[in-house]
Amino acid sequence: LAIPMSTDSLKDIADYFDKHGDSNERMLAYYILGFAYQRSQDAPMALQYFHEAAAKADTTDSSCDFLTLHRTHVWSAEIFRSQFAFSDAFHENSLAFKYAMKAKDTLNAIITYEQKANIYKLKGNIDSVISIREKLYGLYSKYGYKRETAYSLGPLIDIYAKRGNISKAKHALDVYEKMSGRFDKYGNIKKGLEVHYAIKGYYYLSINDYDSARLCFDKCLRTTSNYPNDFGYSYEGLTELYKKLHRPDSVAKYSELTRQMSDTIYARMSTEHLQQMQAMYNYNRYRQNAEEAEKDALRTKYISIIIIMAIMAAAIGGALAVRTYIIRKRRARVNEIKEYERSISELKKARRELDILTENRQTRMESLIKEKEEEIERLQKEKAEYEKKKDIAARITPFADEPVVRILRRHAEKEHVMMSGEERKMLISLFDSYEEISRLKSVLSESEYELCLLVKLGFAPSQINMLTGRSLQDIANIRKRMYNRITGKDGSSRDLDRYIKSL
């Protein structure tokens, strides 16, 4: 794969093995072609050829190259993961694990299982991440892969620390720094992995070693080149640090920096997702146009053959029937044939022009109808969204002018301070007569009920973070748990917001 070859050359090779190779050779040829498109960042074409490579494999044959089949599904899973198609990514990952086991490649099977944890992390399912990585630690240790054992614990350091599991966080940190081989003799990590300093900062923060935590966050900001991801993670850590130190000015500063990094990350992700959607659209449109062009060419070929055969049959039949007459009237007959052929040519030309005009008119009509349907659908969605927002606003507005609500808004938007105990009492008493909300006291803790009221009043997570002192992650987790406790259903933090605002 290191030899520089164009995709056209690789397609020729794939076509050759498709005709002359066995199933393993055909699979390998299409896998290499898919990998070439993957390296050129053409995800749609890469997926197409990876799928074709998988289809070429004969899994019933004992000599099947399961390792190449494993790699094919690994790359397909990676493409789907990058496009946030989690269901497809899990499916491809399961196939990759299955064929790694059939190839008796223990290391690749474990690594594939580790990739499943990465999909869960991107999906936000942290409990599954912990479960898988703890199993990975045991598997890598069992089969003697020391460095991989350390790698598997690295992503768990800050997760354990944030959940208050200090002993596990300390163990993971020690194993990672001593056995991973990624640190020099001065304790500096390899370039490109500087986010570890921020991860270590969260550990120090969990044991209240604030000076060490600050040094780690500052070191990450000073050494990393991964903007804005590592910067955002470090700023978030510094925000939590200064909250514990009760320094509101610094909290406000680093909260704002965290928000800026989050906005930058979101903008980049949105841009990349749009580019991926455009690439998939271009690929599908190109494939559709190619199929239509192929059908038109085949249809034209058949029509031409039929016309030619008809003309030849007529000419031969006429020649046999009027052989003597043709000899006497050769010149006149030649002129007649030329005139006949010219008429046929003009007829074909007129028919083609008519077909083109008919097709263009139909296409314009279909396009106009589609545009109007899309405009109607868009207006209906805007109307529904407006009515939904109007309904939610109507539910929130009755409390907007209450004194305690105005005080809390000033705290969150201008003063950047937490609300006092007296203000909490005023907030709770505000809803005592609002039965739809107050009934939730019986199923929620006081802090959960307080967060529920702030959501009802339309405070954003970042404002709730400022008023209560809780981290954004804690706020998201609590909202998710409350939704399950109130409704008995699994859902996201946003599902809880929509439910509370609808009451």
Side-chain angles (χ1 to χ4, degrees):
L1 293 177
I3 301 175
M5 296 183 70
S6 68
T7 52
D8 289 339
S9 298
L10 291 172
K11 285 180 181 178
D12 291 339
I13 294 173
D15 289 340
Y16 173 82
F17 282 106
D18 213 11
K19 297 175 182 177
H20 305 290
D22 60 24
S23 59
N24 286 336
E25 291 169 336
R26 291 195 295 271
M27 174 174 58
L28 180 59
Y30 278 92
Y31 167 75
I32 293 173
L33 185 55
F35 189 78
Y37 278 110
Q38 168 70 4
R39 292 184 66 177
S40 63
Q41 298 183 344
D42 190 341
M45 293 301 293
L47 272 177
Q48 176 185 335
Y49 286 108
F50 283 141
H51 287 167
E52 289 189 22
K56 302 295 180 184
D58 183 3
T59 56
T60 62
D61 189 348
S62 60
S63 63
C64 177
D65 184 0
F66 287 111
L67 190 56
T68 297
L69 186 56
H70 154 76
R71 295 190 183 108
T72 299
H73 288 294
V74 165
W75 282 111
S76 296
E78 180 61 20
I79 292 173
F80 282 127
R81 185 189 69 83
S82 68
Q83 296 180 352
F84 305 102
F86 299 123
S87 178
D88 292 329
F90 280 128
H91 176 69
E92 292 293 332
N93 179 269
S94 297
L95 292 174
F97 180 84
K98 171 184 175 181
Y99 293 122
M101 295 299 292
K102 282 185 173 290
K104 302 187 187 306
D105 189 336
T106 304
L107 178 57
N108 270 321
I110 301 175
I111 291 173
T112 302
Y113 186 51
E114 185 170 7
Q115 295 308 309
K116 191 172 186 179
N118 296 336
I119 301 173
Y120 274 124
K121 185 174 183 180
L122 194 59
K123 193 178 179 183
N125 195 334
I126 303 303
D127 290 333
S128 296
V129 174
I130 295 173
S131 174
I132 291 175
R133 288 202 168 275
E134 288 180 346
K135 292 177 183 177
L136 286 169
Y137 175 73
L139 289 170
Y140 281 131
S141 300
K142 177 180 177 180
Y143 292 100
Y145 301 113
K146 293 184 178 180
R147 288 194 173 184
E148 286 77 10
T149 299
Y151 298 162
S152 68
L153 290 181
L156 292 179
I157 298 170
D158 55 342
I159 294 176
Y160 282 144
K162 290 178 180 179
R163 294 192 168 199
N165 201 329
I166 307 303
S167 61
K168 285 190 174 182
K170 181 66 167 65
H171 174 256
L173 179 63
D174 290 343
V175 171
Y176 184 75
E177 292 190 341
K178 292 177 182 178
M179 296 174 58
S180 67
R182 291 176 170 174
F183 297 82
D184 61 21
K185 62 181 179 180
Y186 303 107
N188 298 316
I189 200 166
K190 287 182 179 179
K191 190 171 180 60
L193 302 174
E194 294 85 358
V195 71
H196 172 73
Y197 301 132
I199 292 173
K200 191 172 183 179
Y202 279 97
Y203 166 72
Y204 282 127
L205 197 60
S206 69
I207 61 173
N208 299 325
D209 187 347
Y210 302 140
D211 291 337
S212 297
R214 181 165 41 226
L215 289 173
C216 287
F217 292 130
D218 289 342
K219 187 172 183 179
C220 181
L221 291 170
R222 190 174 61 255
T223 59
T224 186
S225 59
N226 185 12
Y227 177 90
N229 300 69
D230 292 358
F231 282 77
Y233 200 51
S234 299
Y235 289 145
E236 186 178 350
L238 287 168
T239 302
E240 295 302 317
L241 170 65
Y242 287 115
K243 283 181 182 178
K244 290 192 174 187
L245 293 175
H246 304 292
R247 291 169 58 178
D249 291 342
S250 296
V251 170
K253 170 186 174 182
Y254 287 107
S255 293
E256 175 60 21
L257 289 171
T258 301
R259 185 195 63 76
Q260 292 175 10
M261 295 302 103
S262 297
D263 291 346
T264 302
I265 292 170
Y266 179 78
R268 286 190 177 182
M269 289 176 65
S270 298
T271 300
E272 290 172 359
H273 189 54
L274 286 173
Q275 290 172 344
Q276 290 167 355
M277 289 175 65
Q278 182 64 42
M280 292 297 291
Y281 169 77
N282 291 340
Y283 162 70
N284 290 333
R285 185 176 62 179
Y286 165 78
R287 184 173 63 180
Q288 183 180 4
N289 290 341
E291 290 175 352
E292 290 177 355
E294 184 178 356
K295 290 179 181 178
D296 290 341
L298 190 60
R299 190 183 302 112
T300 302
K301 180 179 178 181
Y302 287 154
I303 292 173
S304 300
I305 291 173
I306 292 170
I307 292 173
I308 291 171
M309 290 179 66
I311 294 173
M312 289 178 64
I316 293 172
L320 293 173
V322 293
R323 182 177 179 183
T324 305
Y325 179 78
I326 290 175
I327 293 173
R328 291 195 308 265
K329 303 291 184 179
R330 178 174 295 177
R331 182 173 294 178
R333 183 61 177 168
V334 168
N335 291 335
E336 289 177 2
I337 292 174
K338 287 182 178 179
E339 182 65 21
Y340 173 73
E341 290 178 343
R342 186 183 66 79
S343 298
I344 293 295
S345 177
E346 290 179 355
L347 177 61
K348 291 180 180 178
K349 181 179 178 181
R351 178 56 62 92
R352 285 197 299 271
E353 290 175 351
L354 177 61
D355 289 343
I356 291 172
L357 289 174
T358 303
E359 182 179 355
N360 289 342
R361 183 176 63 183
Q362 182 66 24
T363 301
R364 286 196 299 271
M365 288 296 295
E366 290 177 353
S367 176
L368 182 61
I369 291 171
K370 183 178 180 181
E371 287 178 3
K372 293 303 179 182
E373 288 177 344
E374 290 176 349
E375 184 176 0
I376 291 171
E377 184 180 356
R378 176 181 61 78
L379 291 173
Q380 288 176 338
K381 287 182 179 178
E382 289 180 356
K383 177 176 177 293
E385 185 66 23
Y386 171 77
E387 291 176 349
K388 180 180 178 182
K389 290 181 178 178
K390 181 179 178 182
D391 181 62
I392 292 175
R395 294 174 181 272
I396 294 175
T397 302
F399 302 99
D401 292 329
E402 292 293 333
V404 67
V405 177
R406 293 200 301 270
I407 291 171
L408 294 181
R409 288 224 174 267
R410 189 169 66 250
H411 285 347
E413 296 173 358
K414 298 180 179 180
E415 300 171 352
H416 302 295
V417 296
M418 294 172 58
M419 60 181 173
S420 66
E422 183 62 29
E423 289 164 352
R424 284 185 168 88
K425 293 178 181 178
M426 292 171 65
L427 172 64
I428 293 172
S429 65
L430 180 63
F431 285 86
D432 284 346
S433 61
Y434 198 87
E435 186 178 351
E436 291 295 326
I437 295 296
S438 61
R439 66 181 177 80
L440 300 179
K441 282 184 180 181
S442 61
V443 295
L444 301 177
S445 67
E446 183 177 343
S447 60
E448 289 174 336
Y449 181 63
E450 175 187 299
L451 192 149
C452 178
L453 299 183
L454 292 173
V455 170
K456 174 65 179 175
L457 291 172
F459 286 92
S462 59
Q463 295 173 326
I464 297 174
N465 159 257
M466 180 59 65
L467 292 172
T468 64
R470 293 181 175 276
S471 69
L472 293 175
Q473 185 62 52
D474 284 346
I475 292 170
N477 291 338
I478 292 172
R479 285 151 61 208
K480 184 176 179 182
R481 288 198 303 269
M482 283 197 294
Y483 182 76
N484 177 264
R485 191 176 304 168
I486 294 171
T487 67
K489 304 176 183 177
D490 291 332
S492 65
S493 56
R494 291 184 178 180
D495 291 331
L496 184 278
D497 295 349
R498 287 191 287 269
Y499 176 79
I500 293 300
K501 290 176 181 179
S502 69
L503 295 178

